[in-house]
Amino acid sequence: MTRDEAWNALALHPDPTLEELFAADPDRVDKLSTRLELRGGEAPLGIRFDWSKTHLTDTLLSEFEALAEACDFAGMRAKMFTGEVVNPTEGRAAEHTALRGVGKESSVEEAAALLERMKLMVEAIHGGVFGEVKHLIHVGIGGSALGPALAVDALTRDGAEVDVHVVSNIDGVALEAAFKACDPATTMLAVASKTFTTIETMTNATSALKWLADNGVDDPTGRVIALTAAPEKAVEWGVDETRILPFAESVGGRYSLWSSIGFPIAVALGYADFQAMLDGAAKVDEHFRDTDGRANLPLRAAFADLFYSRLEGAQTRAVFAYDERLRLLPDYLQQLEMESNGKSVNVDGLPTGPTAPITWGGVGTDAQHAVFQLLHQGTHLVPIDFIASIEPGDMLDAAHHHILLMNCFAQGAALMSGKHSDDPHRNYPGNRPSATILCDDIDAMTFGALIAFHEHRTFASGVMLGINPFDQFGVELGKEIAKKIEKGGERFDASTEALLKAAGVG
Ligand code: F6P
């Protein structure tokens, strides 16, 4: 079967409602809810992935399995895990899993050696080699910031070894806020950039160095740790080789929190927790690599994602973490999913149908009081992921967490079942899909597993869409034009010219 034939078969699907699907199959929950065990023994840890409130059926799952086969999903997956080129437009492998110990042997060894170097640096900082270090300002943007910001925010609620501030925006307001919160005498600076050329990061790094110098720090560059796949550029910029933590070119920016880009995570949590994060991700890697068909959780999630975006016309998908610790998750997933799969041509450069939906979301229960009206009664189809933890993240009265979880489950039930009223204003149509990811806890291991699940889900979608999920040429044109404006001497469209004139820039 060809890819097109597989898609054509899928297009003919019937449209039963979610309630009808539950009524027709008493085993539906068992078939579509799977617990992934991250750790056994006396303190078991796992995540339950419940896709039963989506419209996936046995037939659809079989047809999606046929699509995956037609797209040589297993072959592409094997290529990724064996370090072959899976990013043909840039001629690169995608070896983020090697950092978790899963991949081509030589890449795993190289990754382990680089992480060992990072571990020694983290231990040196904690051990006082750089004097007293209370703060770390981490400058980076996109994949060099979103993962560290999310992980530090999620996992340091009970305190951190070092107070970390992730600064990404070129808007100086962001860096000034970090300055206000840090004491220059006890602050180190991490400059995170795969290419070590990104204008926002290099400008922020220069300003942070100046701030250290202006505030009496003798050797500001001696306080810099460079996190990069271009160590020669960091040397050129003035960082001593001993303070450069490299990572492999085959690790993509949005897949890089496992590499030295995750340095601030290890500095904040301690290396043992960083390792637990890698171990959690490795569990998902092994599951994804070794499991076939619908039992493969990231693949199953991708089936549902494609069902809604390609066959049902959903233009967005929403993620609501019913957990304050994961409040930055939608930002992270936006880059992962939209930068990876927001394409309009396939690997051969030919136009393709709808690709990645727009990823958006928020935190529960806040979002219930802001955007859920549209989800319950609006005209858009929005498949939703709910993410929650059985263990609370707080020490307050158990009522807090109880109410949080009850609300999370209530939303999924309400969206699915709806409620009929003869008053159209009070009618809830229901039949609105959601998936629920229920974690035992949000600790470093679970966090790593959650992120790896989303990485593989994104990759699986990309493969079945026939696109390259590992390049991002769409971000380049705006950068080029900004450079031309800065250089001057070029004319742009009338609107842009008028804006430049009004703002007095360019
Ligand atoms: O502009 C997009 C992008 O290239 C992302 O893919 C990347 O994560 C980000 O910029 C930062 O790039 P770098 O790590 O090279 O500074």
Side-chain angles (χ1 to χ4, degrees):
M1 190 187 276
T2 65
R3 182 195 305 268
D4 285 350
E5 283 165 357
W7 274 117
N8 290 342
L10 276 159
L12 299 174
H13 65 278
D15 265 331
T17 66
L18 291 169
E19 294 239 296
E20 285 164 356
L21 291 174
F22 272 92
D25 186 356
D27 297 331
R28 184 165 178 81
V29 175
D30 286 344
K31 283 183 184 166
L32 287 163
S33 284
T34 307
R35 179 177 165 87
L36 184 72
E37 220 57 64
L38 301 177
R39 187 178 61 212
E42 279 177 15
L45 186 74
I47 308 178
R48 179 185 172 97
F49 294 87
D50 180 352
W51 255 246
S52 64
K53 291 198 199 77
T54 69
H55 291 83
L56 290 177
T57 59
D58 287 337
T59 312
L60 274 174
L61 286 162
S62 300
E63 287 173 349
F64 270 112
E65 284 167 349
L67 172 71
E69 209 179 315
C71 299
D72 190 25
F73 166 74
M76 286 298 290
R77 177 181 60 179
K79 275 188 172 182
M80 184 176 73
F81 280 109
T82 52
E84 285 181 53
V85 170
V86 286
N87 173 357
T89 52
E90 296 179 301
R92 277 190 201 148
E95 296 195 283
H96 44 286
T97 65
L99 290 151
R100 283 110 67 150
V102 185
K104 185 166 81 176
E105 207 180 316
S106 57
S107 306
V108 168
E109 277 167 18
E110 189 195 329
L114 291 173
L115 286 175
E116 181 61 26
R117 184 181 163 92
M118 170 170 125
K119 183 180 174 199
L120 294 176
M121 181 65 81
V122 172
E123 286 169 357
I125 290 173
H126 290 161
V129 171
F130 292 86
E132 191 184 14
V133 177
K134 285 190 180 163
H135 313 278
L136 176 71
I137 297 180
H138 172 100
V139 296
I141 199 163
S144 294
L146 288 161
L150 165 63
V152 169
D153 190 54
L155 301 173
T156 61
R157 295 302 171 117
D158 295 330
E161 302 244 3
V162 171
D163 163 48
V164 169
H165 296 262
V166 177
V167 178
S168 51
N169 202 346
I170 185 63
D171 185 340
V173 171
L175 193 55
E176 274 180 354
F179 293 162
K180 279 188 197 126
C182 298
D183 163 19
T186 56
T187 298
M188 288 196 68
L189 177 64
V191 182
S193 174
K194 181 175 177 184
T195 55
F196 230 74
T197 56
T198 303
I199 189 162
E200 292 94 330
T201 302
M202 301 326 295
T203 308
N204 277 332
T206 303
S207 295
L209 273 186
K210 182 171 181 314
W211 172 76
L212 289 174
D214 290 350
N215 286 280
V217 173
D218 282 345
D219 174 21
T221 29
R223 313 288 289 169
V224 174
I225 311 291
L227 320 172
T228 185
E232 68 295 342
K233 295 247 167 55
V235 171
E236 252 169 58
W237 195 76
V239 187
D240 189 83
E241 253 178 289
T242 54
R243 282 177 285 98
I244 298 175
L245 299 176
F247 63 96
E249 187 62 45
S250 57
V251 174
R254 54 191 172 275
Y255 300 86
S256 65
L257 85 158
W258 322 98
S259 72
S260 60
I261 294 293
F263 172 71
I265 308 172
V267 170
L269 302 179
Y271 197 85
D273 274 3
F274 184 80
Q275 184 61 53
M277 186 181 96
L278 298 177
D279 294 345
K283 286 280 173 202
V284 176
D285 292 337
E286 285 158 5
H287 165 83
F288 183 65
R289 185 194 58 192
D290 302 337
T291 311
D292 285 325
R294 66 192 72 182
N296 185 314
L297 294 165
L299 183 63
R300 183 195 292 173
F303 289 165
D305 293 342
L306 294 177
F307 173 76
Y308 291 115
S309 61
R310 289 282 294 216
L311 303 175
E312 298 288 297
Q315 294 192 327
T316 80
R317 84 171 197 95
V319 181
F320 296 102
Y322 273 64
D323 199 297
E324 187 70 16
R325 292 168 292 182
L326 296 178
R327 64 185 172 165
L328 299 181
L329 185 64
D331 293 5
Y332 179 84
L333 293 179
Q334 280 183 329
Q335 190 205 21
L336 175 64
E337 300 180 3
M338 292 164 74
E339 197 166 270
S340 296
N341 289 342
K343 312 282 164 68
S344 48
V345 293
N346 66 16
V347 275
D348 299 319
L350 299 170
T352 178
T355 56
I358 294 158
T359 307
W360 65 285
V363 72
T365 60
D366 290 3
Q368 284 175 210
H369 301 274
V371 297
F372 272 50
Q373 165 62 38
L374 179 147
L375 299 176
H376 285 286
Q377 287 188 318
T379 51
H380 292 79
L381 166 65
V382 185
I384 295 168
D385 279 7
F386 292 110
I387 306 180
S389 164
I390 298 172
E391 271 302 306
D394 67 284
M395 304 283 282
L396 300 183
D397 190 302
H400 284 270
H401 199 63
H402 197 69
I403 296 169
L404 182 70
L405 287 187
M406 282 189 317
N407 270 278
C408 177
F409 304 146
Q411 291 301 324
L415 286 161
M416 177 172 98
S417 302
K419 187 177 171 215
H420 178 76
S421 168
D422 290 334
D423 173 355
H425 301 287
R426 291 177 170 77
N427 187 50
Y428 296 81
N431 194 29
R432 298 184 175 215
S434 66
T436 304
I437 299 176
L438 183 60
C439 308
D440 287 351
D441 198 0
I442 304 290
D443 59 0
M445 185 173 245
T446 308
F447 177 86
L450 263 182
I451 300 299
F453 165 80
H454 285 94
E455 285 177 349
H456 293 318
R457 172 186 189 168
T458 305
F459 167 73
S461 272
V463 172
M464 287 183 283
L465 289 166
I467 62 178
N468 176 1
F470 295 113
D471 64 11
Q472 60 282 318
F473 294 111
V475 302
E476 296 306 327
L477 181 60
K479 291 185 198 171
E480 266 171 42
I481 295 181
K483 275 190 198 142
K484 283 185 185 161
I485 292 175
E486 201 193 357
K487 209 167 143 213
E490 204 158 325
R491 300 284 298 170
F492 301 94
D493 63 86
S495 160
T496 307
E497 285 293 334
L499 287 167
L500 290 169
K501 194 166 167 222
V505 294

